[in-house]
Amino acid sequence: KQEVTQIPAALSVPEGENLVLNCSFTDSAIYNLQWFRQDPGKGLTSLLLIQSSQREQTSGRLNASLDKSSGRSTLYIAASQPGDSATYLCAVLPISKAGKSTFGDGTTLTVKP
Amino acid sequence: EAQVTQNPRYLITVTGKKLTVTCSQNMNHEYMSWYRQDPGLGLRQIYYSMNVEVTDKGDVPEGYKVSRKEKRNFPLILESPSPNQTSLYFCASSFGNPVEQYFGPGTRLTVT
């Protein structure tokens, strides 16, 4: 059974700092990996999608990488801002069971002004 | 505007009273899915549908039913709700296998 772990569970940084969020998965036979942002009491907003054949994706200050061999993905946030404060979740879809999605528990980020 | 909508957004009900949470998308997506989110347990998949009339169980399907009679709608049915189904529910949709999932705003359900 696929397990997805996100470390750390919570992170607090001063504004302007670069930071890395981690996502680990146990079964490397994945179809894709998606990073989301969730604000308190709100829905999930898609940030980046990495297909299994890709190594990384970039959108603005965000960069996500994927290393299937080690079962890891990282989300890099450059020059963090207070508006980046939210919970960040990763989700993987397996090749073996199309449509079955597994989420990590998320990392709650606080960026202090 | 491309979106996934859920109704109702908030619902308080009593044990055993059948209810339906609707989910609709206007993006012509083949894939739709239901999740529940609970503190300490994260986001867990209930059911998903790869296309019309094709549904499959996720990790926590017990106590729930779904149907996919048309492409845009994927209702979640609780035949006899119990307090342990109190949760925040999300619907999502995607093109294809799926590829990139888009989420609805959520439905907060309380069962007393």
Side-chain angles (χ1 to χ4, degrees), chain A residues 1 31-32 34 36 38 42-44 46 49 51 93 97-101 103 105, chain B residues 31 35 37 41-43 45 48 50 56 59 90 97-101 103-105:
Chain A
K1 180 185 175 186
Y31 184 70
N32 64 41
Q34 192 170 357
F36 295 88
Q38 185 177 27
K42 304 289 187 182
L44 279 72
S46 178
L49 173 75
Q51 302 281 14
L93 281 89
K97 185 76 170 174
K100 197 167 187 307
S101 181
F103 278 75
D105 289 342
Chain B
Y31 175 88
Y35 300 88
Q37 187 174 37
L41 295 175
L43 207 67
Q45 193 173 34
Y48 61 95
M50 299 297 285
D56 206 348
D59 291 319
F90 289 103
N97 206 17
V99 187
E100 185 172 8
Q101 295 191 67
F103 276 72

